[in-house]
Amino acid sequence: GIKAGDRVLAFTSGGGYAEYVSVNFQQVNPLPDQISYAESTALLVQGMTALGLLNDAVSGQTILVHAAAGGVGSILVQLAKLKGLRVIGTASSTEKLEKVLSFGADAAVNYSENDWPDEVLKANNGKGVDIVIEMVGGEIVARNLEVLGVNGTMLVYGAASGENYPLPILSLLQKNTTVRGYWLSLEPAERRAAFAAELADHVASGRVKIAITEYPLEKAADAHRALEGRRTTGKIVLKVN
């Protein structure tokens, strides 16, 4: 159903900076006219990851989304609200917290402050949350257990800080806590294709907004430095003129 000249987006296993790329036909998806190429770059990794992380979430639950102003987080907040969840988002600056609220979060908390777990509990009427979406790493991992409620789940999909953290296994007994990892590449091709179609529909209809910051290709190094310095929000796009 796809022909030469059609606007498409494709999931690659690498080589995304190439001028040309060959991919399995199952990984090629039509791109609706309402979605720009820049917006589409966030769908196939950030957007799919967000959908996968929310797979088991249920309407009425409370979810804590770390780095909620980022590429995955900004989409995750919106998808979680569409699914009927109460959303608490964290970020590392006042500017980013404002972004988190603009995406529809019910509350926003600065995770660079030492008392952030207290602020999360306060935002949830003193109760622990049902789900924590973790991608910061370091000591924040252990402190997530403080804000999880009984039978809560922590989903780990990365570590922006580059720091791992040894989690004492017996600490999971205190609240029947579940800790799981999530890696999009392990999803089968058919499921990723379904994710792409669902995301395209959400974005084309305006239910989900994609936050992007564009850099000209000539300033790719600046874009990488901004990412490494954690000074970005949403999806970073290199624009080819």
Side-chain angles (χ1 to χ4, degrees), residues 7-236:
R7 300 173 80 243
V8 299
L9 57 160
F11 191 94
T12 74
S13 57
Y17 273 26
E19 187 173 357
Y20 298 96
V21 64
S22 60
V23 295
N24 187 295
F25 77 94
Q26 291 178 306
Q27 301 299 89
V28 180
N29 302 276
L31 181 63
D33 291 338
Q34 302 96 315
I35 303 176
S36 71
Y37 284 122
E39 290 173 322
S40 74
T41 62
L43 299 186
L44 293 189
V45 177
Q46 283 81 8
M48 285 185 174
T49 297
L51 273 179
L53 288 166
L54 286 172
N55 186 61
D56 296 326
V58 178
S59 178
Q61 290 182 316
T62 300
I63 186 170
L64 174 66
V65 180
H66 281 303
V72 175
S74 59
I75 299 174
L76 227 166
V77 168
Q78 297 175 75
L79 290 174
K81 291 302 297 180
L82 285 174
K83 204 166 183 176
L85 278 72
R86 175 173 171 76
V87 180
I88 303 171
T90 74
S92 59
S93 70
T94 301
E95 180 186 3
K96 289 184 178 182
L97 292 174
E98 291 173 354
K99 287 275 190 182
V100 172
L101 292 173
S102 75
F103 298 136
D106 297 282
V109 173
N110 191 331
Y111 67 74
S112 65
E113 301 289 342
N114 192 52
D115 65 344
W116 70 263
D118 295 333
E119 294 301 313
V120 169
L121 294 174
K122 189 184 300 182
N124 197 37
N125 300 315
K127 299 183 297 183
V129 302
D130 300 296
I131 304 167
V132 171
I133 304 296
E134 160 58 27
M135 60 80 61
V136 180
E139 63 179 24
I140 283 180
V141 175
R143 303 206 70 187
N144 284 332
L145 300 183
E146 299 176 32
V147 302
L148 268 175
V150 175
N151 296 317
T153 298
M154 177 165 64
L155 287 162
V156 182
Y157 74 96
S161 65
E163 300 175 17
N164 202 346
Y165 193 88
L167 197 63
I169 199 77
L170 293 181
S171 66
L172 306 182
L173 302 179
Q174 298 171 6
K175 300 179 186 178
N176 285 352
T177 303
T178 298
V179 178
R180 287 174 45 203
Y182 183 78
W183 193 245
L184 176 64
S185 295
L186 297 178
E187 295 279 14
E190 298 80 6
R191 188 166 162 83
R192 290 202 296 258
F195 280 175
E198 180 177 346
L199 287 163
D201 182 57
H202 283 316
V203 176
S205 66
R207 290 187 296 270
V208 171
K209 306 290 186 185
I210 303 297
I212 58 174
T213 302
E214 292 188 354
Y215 285 80
L217 183 61
E218 296 77 16
K219 294 189 176 181
D222 291 341
H224 279 278
R225 279 191 284 267
L227 279 170
E228 291 163 8
R230 296 168 69 182
R231 301 190 304 272
T232 64
T233 59
K235 173 69 174 176
I236 303 305

